[in-house]
Amino acid sequence: MAGSRVSVRNTIGVQAEAEELKQEVIVTVALMLVLLGGMAAATTLPDLYFGNERALVFLSLFAEGFIAYFCRRRYPLVSRIVLLFGPIFSLWLALRVFSSPFVPFFSLLIVIANYAISPRLGFTAAILSTACLGLSLPFAGELFSAIVLLWLTTGVQWVSSKGLYVALAWAWNSEERASGLLEELRLQHEELKRTVVALTETTHRLERTGYELAVARLRAEEARQMKEQFAANISHELRTPLNLIMGFSEMIYLTPDVYGRMKWPTTLKQDVLQIYQSSRQLLDLINDVIDLARIDRVQMPLRAEKADLLATIQEAMSTIGGLMRGREAKLEADLPASLPTLSFDRTRIRQVLLNLLSNAARFTEKGSITVAVEVKERECVVSVADSGIGIPPEELPRIFDEFHQVDRSLRRRREGAGLGLAISRRFVELHGGRIWAESEVGKGSTFYFSLP
């Protein structure tokens, strides 16, 4: 559509330029007629008084040029008709007035002038001049010579104008193609400008977004540091009164004689025991929060040394054995006879094992809890499998998040804070290992962690 508009616009432009060129030729011819006719009429005007009609020939040329000049803008067709028929009339009048043998050859100028305006006008002028000569001259050698020379001139003009118009057509076509290419280039330039503007705006938006992200990251880092500092401070402030509560409640429950010989009610002793256990649980929670804060602040000491992983596993299993008393679940081990010597922090890995074993004990009332070790290519994989109620699939991706608890009925009997698995993941990752879980609801869960 754009190309057709450009082609129509170029065609109109070419036609306008051609018309302008013809107007310039008309002006030139008309001014020459006015100039030559006026000067010749001025010199021969006194003869008109004595009956000599030569001045009429030049006056007619002057009038024709004058009319053609002033009609060229508003009435261009009238100008061409005047320049075609007017000089023919003046030639006919000159053939009657002048007896010179050179007068017939002025028809050549008429053909040349009209050919300059248009080939069709030139060919028409040749026909009309031939008719005028034939009607005005006797049939003789003079007529024959004038007509032959007239048509030779017409032929030469036709050949010349043909080449000229072919060159003009080629130039117009070239200009049209150039104009089309220029229009396409302009459209592409505008499209490129729009693209540059869009890219500039996108760049500004990206810079602004990057700045906002940097500010948000800085604020998040400040908030994280404030959270860690607050957790560390409040945890340290809570440990002192908790230690006092634990100490007094343990002493009241185990050695009530220090307060005098009296009979302590059984319900009171159970309440004191509950105070001690709750305080102990709260202290463990505070220790977990401190550990998380220290890990986040990269202040957790990791004392890696060459140690026996089997001994660490057996130590953790013996510690967790107290939780299994009075239950139908068994604590089992599937351990190889020996393992390669590994480099790890015994305290942290024992804490990982205790967290996994205690987590399994919470949800396993019947069946078994099995600890196994498998040596692979570049790592040692420890697994803790239970036959408990399992974990729903939608909960598996989040069980290692801080303070995340799976809402299951068995868990309500032994409350947890949701930090054991999160701390275990941090400890394992500090060792360069990984931790993951597999579970099926109703059949149990298996937790794995690896040490390089």
Side-chain angles (χ1 to χ4, degrees):
M1 183 65 70
S4 62
R5 288 198 299 268
V6 172
S7 178
V8 171
R9 186 160 56 247
N10 291 337
T11 302
I12 294 174
V14 168
Q15 292 176 352
E17 291 178 1
E19 189 64 28
E20 186 68 24
L21 181 61
K22 291 178 181 179
Q23 290 291 337
E24 292 179 0
V25 174
I26 290 174
V27 169
T28 302
V29 174
L31 290 177
M32 289 181 63
L33 289 178
V34 170
L35 182 61
L36 297 177
M39 292 176 61
T43 57
T44 59
L45 193 59
D47 296 339
L48 186 62
Y49 179 76
F50 299 101
N52 194 341
E53 298 177 349
R54 291 184 300 176
L56 292 176
V57 177
F58 301 116
L59 286 175
S60 65
L61 291 175
F62 175 81
E64 293 158 6
F66 184 82
I67 295 172
Y69 180 80
F70 282 100
C71 293
R72 71 189 190 283
R73 294 295 183 186
R74 298 185 61 181
Y75 308 103
L77 182 60
V78 173
S79 296
R80 296 175 188 179
I81 292 175
V82 169
L83 292 179
L84 175 63
F85 290 98
I88 299 295
F89 170 75
S90 298
L91 175 64
W92 174 78
L93 189 60
L95 290 173
R96 291 184 56 190
V97 173
F98 295 98
S99 59
S100 175
F102 299 104
V103 173
F105 297 100
F106 282 100
S107 60
L108 305 180
L109 298 177
I110 299 174
V111 173
I112 293 173
N114 281 277
Y115 247 112
I117 298 174
S118 171
R120 287 184 297 179
L121 288 178
F123 189 75
T124 305
I127 294 176
L128 293 177
S129 297
T130 303
C132 180
L133 293 175
L135 295 174
S136 301
L137 296 176
F139 186 77
E142 181 181 353
L143 174 64
F144 180 75
S145 300
I147 292 176
V148 169
L149 187 58
L150 173 66
W151 283 101
L152 283 176
T153 303
T154 303
V156 171
Q157 286 292 115
W158 180 81
V159 173
S160 301
S161 63
K162 188 69 175 178
L164 176 62
Y165 277 92
V166 168
L168 287 176
W170 178 84
W172 289 339
N173 291 332
S174 299
E175 182 182 1
E176 183 177 351
R177 288 194 299 269
S179 299
L181 293 175
L182 184 62
E183 181 69 16
E184 293 180 3
L185 183 61
R186 187 184 64 81
L187 294 176
Q188 292 178 1
H189 181 66
E190 292 179 356
E191 184 67 24
L192 182 60
K193 286 177 61 178
R194 289 193 293 269
T195 304
V196 170
V197 171
L199 287 176
T200 304
E201 184 178 356
T202 304
T203 302
H204 291 331
R205 289 181 180 178
L206 287 176
E207 291 176 353
R208 185 165 57 250
T209 303
Y211 174 75
E212 293 175 354
L213 285 176
V215 172
R217 187 182 301 110
L218 181 61
R219 291 178 178 175
E221 182 65 22
E222 293 176 353
R224 185 184 66 82
Q225 292 178 358
M226 292 177 62
K227 179 199 71 173
E228 295 167 359
Q229 188 65 36
F230 172 79
N233 292 340
I234 198 67
S235 299
H236 283 297
E237 293 295 330
L238 289 175
R239 291 181 71 174
T240 300
L242 275 177
N243 285 327
L244 290 175
I245 294 172
M246 286 179 56
F248 282 117
S249 60
E250 184 179 14
M251 186 171 60
I252 292 173
Y253 180 75
L254 296 177
T255 58
D257 297 339
V258 298
Y259 295 98
R261 294 184 177 276
M262 64 177 67
K263 185 176 179 61
W264 293 78
T266 305
T267 55
L268 179 60
K269 294 183 67 175
Q270 292 297 326
D271 290 342
V272 172
L273 178 61
Q274 186 64 39
I275 291 173
Y276 172 76
Q277 291 177 345
S278 298
S279 301
R280 185 68 193 178
Q281 183 180 0
L282 185 57
L283 183 61
D284 291 339
L285 174 60
I286 292 173
N287 291 332
D288 289 344
V289 171
I290 293 176
D291 287 342
L292 278 177
R294 294 174 68 187
I295 293 172
D296 288 338
R297 296 173 64 185
V298 197
Q299 294 181 354
M300 171 63 68
L302 192 66
R303 298 182 178 88
E305 57 184 359
K306 293 186 180 299
D308 186 1
L309 181 60
L310 291 177
T312 305
I313 293 174
Q314 291 169 355
E315 182 180 351
M317 291 179 65
S318 63
T319 303
I320 210 68
L323 291 176
M324 307 300 297
R325 293 172 187 168
R327 299 191 189 186
E328 299 180 13
K330 296 180 181 180
L331 183 60
E332 300 176 346
D334 183 11
L335 305 176
S338 62
L339 286 175
T341 302
L342 303 178
S343 178
F344 60 92
D345 188 328
R346 292 182 58 192
T347 303
R348 305 307 175 194
I349 296 302
R350 182 173 61 248
Q351 188 173 350
V352 172
L353 288 167
L354 289 174
N355 287 338
L356 295 180
L357 288 170
S358 61
N359 192 63
R362 288 194 186 105
F363 305 111
T364 306
E365 294 293 317
K366 298 180 181 181
S368 63
I369 299 174
T370 304
V371 181
V373 180
E374 182 182 2
V375 178
K376 294 188 176 181
E377 294 180 357
R378 300 178 63 89
E379 61 185 3
C380 183
V381 180
V382 181
S383 63
V384 178
D386 64 70
S387 58
I389 60 176
I391 304 173
E394 64 273 10
E395 297 286 347
L396 278 177
R398 299 185 296 163
I399 58 175
F400 294 102
D401 295 342
E402 290 85 351
F403 301 103
H404 178 75
Q405 297 182 357
V406 181
D407 189 12
R408 291 176 285 177
S409 59
L410 282 180
R411 191 181 183 93
R412 301 301 98 195
R413 299 175 56 184
R414 294 182 180 272
E415 291 290 343
L419 289 176
L421 292 179
I423 293 176
S424 300
R425 183 188 67 177
R426 300 292 185 90
F427 285 160
V428 171
E429 290 176 350
L430 284 175
H431 283 81
R434 53 197 178 94
I435 187 170
W436 69 98
E438 297 175 357
S439 181
E440 186 176 351
V441 177
K443 294 186 179 182
S445 305
T446 303
F447 287 82
Y448 302 87
F449 72 91
S450 65
L451 295 174

